[in-house]
């Protein structure tokens, strides 16, 4: 059943349901967001909210929608754009230009934090050192911490990211495939890190990637649509391909995966890692050193496998005094010793 | 519950016998390549016999003998540590003809043979030996491709000859047409089966519905012939596929119910002794031991189940231990109370170290409190329970109650799309499915009548 008889353009159904004209599609997509925000009590008036902005479709739509809703419904939020420059030539430098335009288009202040400044390494340097396997592990760990550091600089109360339903469904599957029960128990939460300094939330948790693409396209939003040049080898690609095939067969399966993730009966006797802080940089960590410090150590000492896979490998290398790097002059992290309270 | 052994199990291509591929050596070599990186010249790392390794299991290259012992060890450990088979049990093995159920048949037969030898050698002969029967569910009436009658008959005779070749111990063979799950009042059961399957428009829904009917068929044979346990050939690969299928269908809450060693939801409890064995290992063993398999009557899985099976195959090519990892994840989910046997009747035969595994529940009491889906038997999640409670208060018609007793997944993929078809669909189902709901509803109404005088009217403002 069509919602509108007036407009000839028909959109394909992103999930099991009716076909919508462009106007109804926009209206339906726009209406959903206040419902998600309000039902999940994502924000409070007066909060400083850092929007993780990569220049891609998800974060661009997120920034647009949040700023519009903030204006239309008087949420009273103080919104900022927060970008991370991983130092990927031909990809991130271009997408950052998009974010700089978003800054002007949406009137939101922008802060950029870079891997080079934080860690002394760019992703280009990291890939040169370790190749194309496991590079996404480095980037993901570093980016997560970089966002928190940047949000701390902005004195933000909350971080929002553009993770959509497809992303969350992929993450549920990946955690099953990897046996990571701790992450499986957390990955469907719309808000995480509430017991930490800066919680982060995902307002697009129930929004399909297709819906975001359509919204950005029909609203003619300015976004950067190229994939990361290092991503083709990512393991997540397995899950992504499967999800796409699944969506073609049964569109609602993406939400069903999320529902499964929310309802898993995780046994209370399952040992979960205890949350503490990193001894070196003070970042949240379940081990003595946070993952970022371990990975950085490995890079700086010429041991790129350190922190990848079993922690026993890391311990063995740690005790080997002969494993010194030629790159010791590289910054051993401006994070060291200074960040018990997120200060640089 | 996913049934392995080839027939719509979700194990996909890797479960099929490779008897069609080249000679024995080529088939073995292909299996070696699939299972491990051990070279043909590597010696067995387990025994001193110096035989060539044919497979790697647990990181160790093994000769044929040690590999067989390794797999049998896993089977026996599952049976003994979960007390799956008591000496007084009559075990019904579900045999699809595929490699997994063929290996299950072989191994349980060997356990029975050893038990018979011990019994014969024993002076007192106090402990009996469990009996064993075999059932094959004939699904030809729902196979998409029609097969010539003589080929089907030949396949069934093959199955009989496989079983009759196993001695000592007589093993009765039951051939159960799937349509027999319908009551004796139905004139043309095959037509009724086709009609009810035809009403289901979703391909995955049809697949899952037929699996459920298969389990009902096994239960029926077991009850009518006095069996006390049903043994399935479901293996680790099949369970891994089921973990992903259930996740994708929104059945995350109920998932742990189907992936344990024991399932007592049914009148005749179901056990999965091949729980820790991979399909590839079982395929290889069939080749090494020349165990005959029969898969002419196989019904390949389709829809989402087929997609998941292909996905798991790709994952296995990328990393051969991925299925075990998926299984380990599922094992960390909390099982249900019906995933344990009740203690009653077991203590006499159990070593003390195993007794804590059992529920301390009188067999006369209801052993679990979960509400189960009318169609698939999945325990209801909180939201489904809430919906059911709300419906019970307001339902005017039985159809509403039946519908509320279906989980959200079955509601979507099995119930007809048009709500006015619900009545027709429920009328086609085996009677005892809806009779349970009728009985529960009558009990609830009777209770309500007894306390009617004390209930406040809805209009009462006090």
């Amino acid at each position: 059943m069509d919602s509108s008889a007036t407009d000839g353009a028909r959109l394909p159904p992103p999930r099991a349901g009716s076909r919508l004209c462009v106007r109804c599609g926009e209206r339906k997509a726009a209406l959903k967001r206040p419902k998600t925000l309000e039902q999940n009590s994502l924000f409070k008036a007066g909060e400083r909210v850092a929007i993780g902005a990569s220049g891609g479709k998800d974060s661009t739509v997120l920034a647009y929608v949040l700023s519009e809703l903030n204006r239309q419904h008087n949420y009273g939020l103080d919104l900022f754009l927060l970008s991370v420059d991983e130092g990927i030539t031909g990809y991130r430098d271009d997408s950052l230009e998009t974010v700089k335009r978003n800054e002007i288009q949406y009137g939101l202040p922008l802060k950029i934090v870079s891997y080079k400044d934080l860690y002394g390494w760019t992703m280009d340097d990291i890939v040169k050192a370790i190749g194309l396997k496991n590079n996404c592990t480095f980037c993901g760990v570093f980016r997560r911490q970089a966002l928190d550091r940047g949000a701390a600089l902005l004195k933000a109360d909350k971080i929002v990211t553009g993770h959509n339903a497809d992303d969350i469904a992929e993450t549920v599957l990946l955690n099953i495939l990897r046996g990571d029960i701790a992450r499986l128990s957390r990955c469907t939460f719309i808000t995480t890190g509430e017991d930490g300094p800066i919680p982060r939330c995902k307002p697009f948790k129930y929004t399909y990637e297709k819906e975001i693409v359509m919204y950005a396209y029909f609203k003619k939003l300015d976004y950067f649509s190229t994939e990361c040049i290092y991503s083709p080898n990512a393991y997540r690609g397995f899950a992504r391909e499967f999800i796409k095939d699944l969506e073609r067969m049964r569109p609602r399966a993406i939400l069903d995966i999320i529902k499964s993730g929310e309802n898993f009966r995780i046994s209370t006797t399952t040992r979960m890692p205890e949350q503490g802080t990193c001894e070196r940089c003070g970042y949240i960590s379940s081990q003595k050193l946070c993952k970022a410090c371990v990975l950085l150590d490995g890079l700086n000492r010429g041991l790129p496998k350190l922190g990848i896979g079993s922690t026993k490998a890391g311990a063995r290398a740690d005790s080997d005094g002969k494993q010194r790097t030629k790159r010791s002059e590289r910054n051993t992290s401006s994070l060291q010793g200074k960040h018990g309270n997120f200060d640089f | 519950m996913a049934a392995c052994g080839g027939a719509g199990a979700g194990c996909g291509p890797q479960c099929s016998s490779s008897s069609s591929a080249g000679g024995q050596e080529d088939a073995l070599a292909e299996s070696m390549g699939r299972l491990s990186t051990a070279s043909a010249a590597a010696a067995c790392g387990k025994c001193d016999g110096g035989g060539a390794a044919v497979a790697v299991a647990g990181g160790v290259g093994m000769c044929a003998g040690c590999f067989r012992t390794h797999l049998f060890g896993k089977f026996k450990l599952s049976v003994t540590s979960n007390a799956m088979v008591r000496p007084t049990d009559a075990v019904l093995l579900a045999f699809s003809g595929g490699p997994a159920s063929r290996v299950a048949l072989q191994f349980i037969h060997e356990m029975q043979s050893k038990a018979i030898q011990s019994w014969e050698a024993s002076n007192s002969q106090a402990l009996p030996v469990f009996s064993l029967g075999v059932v094959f569910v004939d699904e030809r009436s729902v196979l998409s491709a029609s097969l010539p009658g003589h080929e089907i008959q030949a396949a069934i005779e093959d199955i009989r000859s496989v079983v009759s070749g196993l001695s000592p111990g007589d093993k009765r063979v039951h051939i159960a047409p799937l349509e027999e799950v319908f009551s004796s009042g139905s004139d043309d059961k095959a037509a009724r089966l086709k009609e009810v399957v035809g009403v289901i428009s979703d391909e995955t829904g049809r697949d899952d519905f037929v699996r459920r009917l298969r389990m009902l068929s096994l239960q029926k044979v077991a009850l009518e012939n006095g069996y006390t346990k049903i043994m399935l050939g479901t293996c680790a690969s099949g369970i891994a596929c089921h973990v992903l299928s259930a996740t994708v269908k929104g059945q995350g809450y109920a998932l742990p119910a189907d992936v344990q060693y024991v399932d007592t939801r049914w009148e005749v409890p179901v056990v999965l002794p091949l729980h820790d064995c991979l399909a590839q290992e079982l395929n290889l063993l069939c080749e090494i031991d020349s165990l005959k398999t029969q898969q002419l009557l196989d019904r390949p899985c389709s829809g989402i189940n087929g997609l998941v099976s292909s996905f798991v195959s790709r994952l296995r090519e990328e990393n051969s231990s991925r299925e075990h990892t998926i299984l380990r994840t599922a094992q960390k989910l909390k099982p249900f109370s019906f995933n344990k046997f009740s203690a009653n009747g077991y203590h006499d035969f159990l070593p003390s170290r195993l007794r804590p595994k059992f529920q301390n529940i009188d067999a006369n009491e209801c052993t679990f409190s979960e509400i189960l889906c009318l169609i698939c038997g999945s325990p209801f999640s909180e939201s489904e329970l809430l919906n059911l409670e709300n419906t019970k208060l307001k339902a005017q018609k039985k159809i509403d109650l039946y519908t509320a007793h279906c989980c959200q997944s079955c509601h979507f993929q099995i119930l007809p799309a048009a709500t006015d078809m619900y009545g027709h669909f429920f009328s086609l189902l085996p009677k005892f499915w809806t009779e349970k709901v009728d009985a529960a509803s009558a009990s609830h109404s009777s209770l309500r009548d007894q306390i009617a005088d004390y209930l406040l009217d809805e209009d009462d403002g006090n």
Side-chain angles (χ1 to χ4, degrees):
Chain A
M1 184 185 296
D2 293 334
S3 295
S4 162
T6 57
D7 191 323
R10 294 287 181 262
L11 301 172
R15 60 186 83 196
S18 53
R19 297 173 75 89
L20 302 172
C21 72
V22 172
R23 204 178 311 136
C24 290
E26 285 177 7
R27 197 182 320 135
K28 186 171 179 181
L31 278 173
K32 187 195 302 167
R33 264 152 241 121
K35 200 169 152 193
T36 302
L37 299 186
E38 284 156 18
Q39 275 181 350
N40 291 278
S41 306
L42 293 186
F43 306 115
K44 295 191 195 71
E47 276 186 329
R48 291 173 65 84
V49 178
I51 304 171
S54 63
K57 58 180 182 349
D58 298 319
S59 53
T60 299
V61 169
L62 179 64
Y64 175 81
V65 166
L66 272 181
S67 60
E68 282 296 298
L69 289 176
N70 195 33
R71 187 176 55 78
Q72 287 174 20
H73 297 276
N74 295 318
Y75 287 149
L77 302 176
D78 215 352
L79 299 174
F80 302 86
L81 294 175
L82 175 58
S83 257
V84 177
D85 179 5
E86 302 99 339
I88 302 176
T89 314
Y91 169 67
R92 188 51 81 206
D93 40 7
D94 291 340
S95 71
L96 281 178
E97 292 306 313
T98 310
V99 183
K100 286 171 186 165
R101 290 197 298 274
N102 293 158
E103 179 188 17
I104 299 164
Q105 288 156 357
Y106 308 145
L108 301 174
L110 168 65
K111 170 74 185 164
I112 300 176
V113 290
S114 74
Y115 281 9
K116 187 70 182 176
D117 291 338
L118 288 174
Y119 310 116
W121 288 75
T122 62
M123 273 312 296
D124 287 344
D125 296 333
I126 291 171
V127 169
K128 272 191 207 125
I130 68 163
L132 286 170
K133 209 168 158 127
N134 300 317
N135 49 300
C136 291
T137 300
F138 283 81
C139 194
V141 170
F142 287 168
R143 189 184 322 110
R144 185 183 186 83
Q145 206 180 96
L147 271 179
D148 283 332
R149 304 285 182 195
L153 282 175
L154 291 172
K155 297 191 179 10
D157 299 303
K158 212 158 266 180
I159 299 172
V160 291
T161 55
H163 290 95
N164 55 49
D166 296 52
D167 294 325
I168 293 174
E170 282 163 25
T171 305
V172 169
L173 287 180
L174 281 176
N175 286 330
I176 293 173
L177 300 183
R178 289 177 170 154
D180 195 334
I181 199 73
R183 285 200 171 90
L184 188 60
S185 66
R186 296 193 300 263
C187 66
T188 53
F189 293 169
I190 198 166
T191 303
T192 50
E194 281 165 306
D195 48 356
I198 306 180
R200 51 175 73 194
C201 56
K202 307 177 182 73
F204 284 163
K205 176 183 170 186
Y206 300 109
T207 311
Y208 279 46
E209 187 179 26
K210 268 206 179 84
E211 292 176 316
I212 290 172
V213 169
M214 286 197 288
Y215 189 89
Y217 178 72
F218 287 110
K219 283 291 195 184
K220 298 181 175 47
L221 297 182
D222 182 6
Y223 65 93
F224 184 72
S225 62
T226 306
E227 265 216 339
C228 176
I229 57 175
Y230 297 136
S231 71
N233 297 303
Y235 188 69
R236 187 173 275 265
F238 268 113
R240 182 163 294 158
E241 210 179 302
F242 173 65
I243 296 251
K244 288 302 162 203
D245 291 337
L246 202 56
E247 194 187 1
R248 270 190 285 276
M249 197 176 277
R250 183 185 283 190
R252 64 174 263 168
I254 290 177
L255 288 183
D256 281 342
I257 293 173
I258 296 175
K259 189 172 84 164
S260 285
E262 287 167 342
N263 290 336
F264 278 138
R265 288 160 56 96
I266 310 272
S267 173
T268 49
T269 57
T270 301
R271 228 187 60 200
M272 297 291 193
E274 283 178 25
Q275 301 280 26
T277 51
C278 174
E279 285 177 1
R280 190 175 291 171
C281 69
Y283 190 68
I284 195 167
S285 173
S286 59
Q287 311 290 327
K288 273 190 188 171
L289 294 182
C290 70
K291 196 72 171 182
C293 284
V294 172
L295 293 176
L296 204 50
D297 241 0
L299 286 173
N300 290 333
R301 290 159 63 183
L303 301 167
K305 297 273 188 208
L306 198 65
I308 303 286
S310 163
T311 51
K312 285 181 188 171
R316 272 200 301 278
D318 219 12
S319 61
D320 186 352
K322 291 182 183 171
Q323 298 276 354
R324 292 292 171 201
T325 181
K326 294 173 189 171
R327 302 179 192 208
S328 57
E329 71 276 8
R330 273 203 189 272
N331 172 32
T332 49
S333 172
S334 55
L335 303 174
Q336 285 182 24
K338 293 183 188 177
H339 306 294
N341 56 355
F342 280 109
D343 287 342
F344 280 95
Chain B
M1 180 179 302
C4 187
C11 288
Q14 70 276 18
C15 251
S16 60
S17 168
S18 59
S19 53
S20 57
Q24 179 111 2
E25 284 176 3
D26 289 341
L28 267 176
E30 195 183 316
S31 303
M32 279 164 60
R34 274 188 263 135
L35 262 182
S36 73
T37 54
S39 69
C44 176
K46 273 248 173 191
C47 68
D48 297 327
V54 297
V56 168
V60 178
M62 293 184 197
C63 63
C66 290
F67 178 65
R68 192 186 194 287
T69 306
H70 168 74
L71 279 188
F72 182 73
K74 284 207 264 189
F75 179 90
K76 198 171 166 198
L77 185 64
S78 294
V79 170
T80 53
S81 62
N82 292 283
M84 287 183 184
V85 178
R86 299 173 296 184
T88 51
D89 272 329
V91 177
L92 180 67
L93 176 81
F95 185 69
S96 66
S101 54
R102 181 65 186 88
V103 171
L105 174 63
Q106 190 66 32
F107 283 171
I108 195 64
H109 158 70
E110 286 176 21
M111 285 187 74
Q112 188 193 42
S113 302
K114 283 193 183 119
I116 290 172
Q117 281 170 17
S118 301
W119 181 81
E120 284 169 353
S122 154
N123 288 331
S124 63
Q125 296 186 340
L127 275 186
V129 176
F130 66 90
S131 61
L132 183 60
V134 177
V135 61
F136 172 77
V137 179
D138 182 353
E139 297 179 18
R140 73 181 88 173
S141 49
V142 291
L143 282 174
S144 50
S146 57
L147 295 162
H150 69 272
E151 283 190 28
I152 296 173
Q153 214 40 52
I156 290 176
E157 285 313 310
D158 270 349
I159 289 170
R160 286 190 193 278
S161 75
V162 162
V163 178
S164 62
L166 298 170
S167 63
D170 291 329
K171 295 158 189 58
R172 207 172 141 202
V173 178
H174 307 269
I175 306 295
L178 188 61
E179 56 268 26
E180 288 298 319
V181 297
F182 294 102
S183 63
S184 53
S186 315
D187 291 335
D188 188 350
K189 296 174 187 176
R192 185 161 164 187
L193 173 62
K194 280 197 170 110
E195 188 182 354
V196 71
V197 171
V199 165
I200 302 169
S201 54
D202 186 273
E203 195 181 357
T204 310
R206 277 198 298 276
D207 205 34
D208 288 349
F209 184 74
V210 168
R211 284 173 196 229
R212 168 70 167 175
L213 289 182
R214 190 185 302 144
M215 177 54 74
L216 284 185
S217 178
L218 296 174
Q219 290 286 319
K220 188 166 187 278
V221 170
L223 284 166
E224 287 173 356
N225 293 278
Y227 290 100
T228 55
K229 294 278 166 58
I230 293 175
M231 187 172 277
L232 299 184
T234 307
C235 65
S237 307
I239 295 173
C241 287
H242 180 74
V243 169
L244 295 181
S245 303
T247 302
V248 153
K249 293 169 194 167
Q251 294 177 309
Y253 178 80
L255 171 59
D258 302 326
V259 300
Q260 309 300 325
Y261 292 91
V262 168
D263 187 350
T264 64
R265 274 178 286 183
W266 314 97
E267 282 193 72
V268 181
V270 175
V271 296
L272 277 59
L274 288 177
H275 184 282
D276 301 319
C277 301
L278 295 173
Q280 278 191 317
E281 293 175 325
L282 300 172
N283 278 343
L284 183 57
L285 185 65
C286 286
E287 286 165 12
I288 291 171
D289 279 8
S290 304
L291 297 177
K292 196 174 174 192
T293 56
Q294 173 53 260
Q295 290 176 269
L296 179 73
L297 297 172
D298 233 6
R299 191 174 168 273
C301 43
S302 54
I304 284 179
N305 301 325
L307 183 66
V308 165
S309 178
S310 307
F311 178 56
V312 171
S313 295
R314 283 192 54 217
L315 290 174
R316 191 175 45 250
E317 284 164 16
E318 177 262 336
N319 182 341
S320 56
S321 59
R322 189 65 64 193
E323 286 158 320
H324 275 311
T325 308
I326 295 171
L327 210 63
R328 268 202 308 279
T329 312
Q331 290 296 110
K332 290 173 187 167
L333 302 177
K334 196 171 153 198
F336 292 87
S337 56
F338 49 72
N339 290 121
K340 270 183 174 185
F341 287 119
S342 67
N344 189 38
Y346 265 87
H347 275 181
D348 294 343
F349 305 111
L350 281 183
S352 54
R353 64 184 166 83
L354 289 184
R355 290 180 190 180
K357 281 188 173 252
F358 291 79
Q359 303 179 74
N360 290 316
I361 293 174
D362 190 322
N364 292 329
E365 291 175 9
C366 178
T367 53
F368 58 89
S369 56
E370 288 87 357
I371 306 284
L372 304 180
C373 171
L374 172 68
I375 297 179
C376 69
S378 299
F380 269 18
S381 64
E382 209 176 302
S383 59
E384 287 161 341
L385 279 173
L386 201 60
N387 176 56
L388 178 60
E389 289 309 312
N390 289 339
T391 306
K392 275 182 183 171
L393 290 171
K394 296 182 230 165
Q396 303 290 325
K397 294 180 265 187
K398 274 188 183 170
I399 301 296
D400 296 332
L401 269 181
Y402 296 156
T403 311
H405 272 88
C406 297
C407 69
Q408 288 168 6
S409 175
C410 288
H411 207 285
F412 170 75
Q413 67 173 18
I414 293 181
L415 293 192
T419 51
D420 55 0
M421 289 288 290
Y422 285 359
H424 178 59
F425 175 75
F426 283 116
S427 71
L428 291 173
L429 292 179
K431 285 278 171 279
F432 55 88
W433 278 8
T434 46
E435 274 165 7
K436 276 188 217 171
V437 176
D438 291 338
S441 164
S443 164
H444 181 80
S445 298
S446 159
L447 273 174
R448 198 180 162 83
D449 288 341
Q450 285 175 43
I451 60 171
D453 290 342
Y454 303 100
L455 291 173
L456 293 171
D457 291 333
E458 283 181 13
D459 297 332
D460 194 332
N462 295 326

